[in-house]
Amino acid sequence: MLELDTVTAGYERRAPVFRGASLTVAPGESVGLLGPSGCGKSTLARVAALLHRPDAGRLVLDGTEIRAWRHRAPRELRTAVGVVFQQPRTAADPRLTLAEIIAEPLRATGRRTEADARVAELAPAVGLTADLLTRRPHEVSDGQLQRACLARALTLRPRWLICDEMTAMLDASTTAALVAAVEAYRAETGAGLLAVGHDRVLLNRWCDRTVEWKDCLPPKETR
């Protein structure tokens, strides 16, 4: 279970982005989190991905309460979560080829020898051809780069996926391809999914259930 319990978070302790947000995702479940831009849903997604320490509240992942964040979190918990961000160009090192971007998690965890085989397995799954793998971010489109970022998120075979407006900048065909790749991975592994966005139609079609941002907050926040 991925459980966010009465989380308060932001970037200034005296002025949090939101207070008391709660949300759960069961193993194998896909949950859409729907809300307008600027409401705080991306910050909550970063908390769920162990990338942002909340000011208050709890994150419980697979029965373990998270007490350390980012690089301080235990590796077995960090690698249990794969995350895809909205803007691939700010999420990818411009010096790396797409193959190197996909292999980053393996290098970071000391499994460099597995990189070639894993890249060869993931590239076709996300729609990347061999010639694209040798290119750097400035040589490919946003959609092609986001395909590499999705593959990177899947490299360590996470049990949970956080997709934070993954398709917001993409055309319809690329959106459909990336959603299909996520669903193929989930069908194979039973991974849980939190998909954050503001496209109600997409989330309703993609996810088992869609949660309105206002329903994550205590009553006093929705007045």
Side-chain angles (χ1 to χ4, degrees):
M1 181 76 75
L2 189 160
E3 180 180 3
L4 294 148
D5 180 23
T6 57
V7 170
T8 294
Y11 305 95
E12 297 181 19
R13 184 171 291 275
R14 295 184 179 180
V17 176
F18 59 83
R19 298 179 185 272
S22 297
L23 181 69
T24 60
V25 183
E29 183 183 26
S30 56
V31 175
L33 177 57
L34 177 70
S37 297
C39 68
K41 61 188 186 298
S42 290
T43 301
L44 187 67
R46 288 181 62 84
V47 173
L50 282 69
L51 295 175
H52 185 78
R53 179 188 290 274
D55 298 328
R58 300 188 310 146
L59 168 62
V60 180
L61 189 65
D62 295 327
T64 299
E65 182 174 348
I66 304 301
R67 300 185 182 278
W69 305 83
R70 296 180 68 88
H71 63 280
R72 297 178 182 272
R75 176 180 291 183
E76 65 271 16
L77 294 177
R78 292 199 315 270
T79 58
V81 182
V83 59
V84 188
F85 299 102
Q86 176 181 353
Q87 297 181 344
R89 298 205 179 274
T90 61
D93 187 332
R95 299 168 297 180
L96 302 182
T97 66
L98 298 198
E100 290 168 336
I101 288 169
I102 296 170
E104 274 187 290
L106 290 169
R107 294 199 306 270
T109 53
R111 297 159 58 184
R112 189 182 298 266
T113 58
E114 301 175 36
D116 289 348
R118 189 64 174 140
V119 170
E121 178 183 359
L122 284 170
V126 299
L128 289 174
T129 55
D131 63 303
L132 290 173
L133 294 176
T134 63
R135 299 182 189 179
R136 289 179 169 78
H138 72 277
E139 299 174 308
V140 299
S141 68
D142 287 345
Q144 291 164 338
L145 184 55
Q146 191 68 306
R147 290 171 190 265
C149 289
L150 172 58
R152 177 179 61 186
L154 302 180
T155 296
L156 297 182
R157 298 179 174 85
R159 299 189 299 277
W160 302 95
L161 284 174
I162 311 293
C163 295
D164 182 15
E165 302 202 48
M166 175 181 73
T167 63
M169 300 177 63
L170 307 179
D171 60 33
S173 62
T174 306
T175 293
L178 292 188
V179 169
V182 169
E183 289 308 292
Y185 175 80
R186 293 200 326 108
E188 176 187 353
T189 65
L193 168 69
L194 175 61
V196 176
H198 50 74
D199 185 334
R200 184 185 299 274
V201 173
L202 173 63
L203 292 180
N204 285 346
R205 289 180 176 176
W206 185 2
C207 300
D208 297 326
R209 61 186 174 96
T210 299
V211 177
E212 300 263 3
W213 172 251
K214 61 183 177 61
D215 294 329
C216 296
L217 303 175
K220 66 180 180 179
E221 295 282 333
T222 61
R223 294 174 185 170

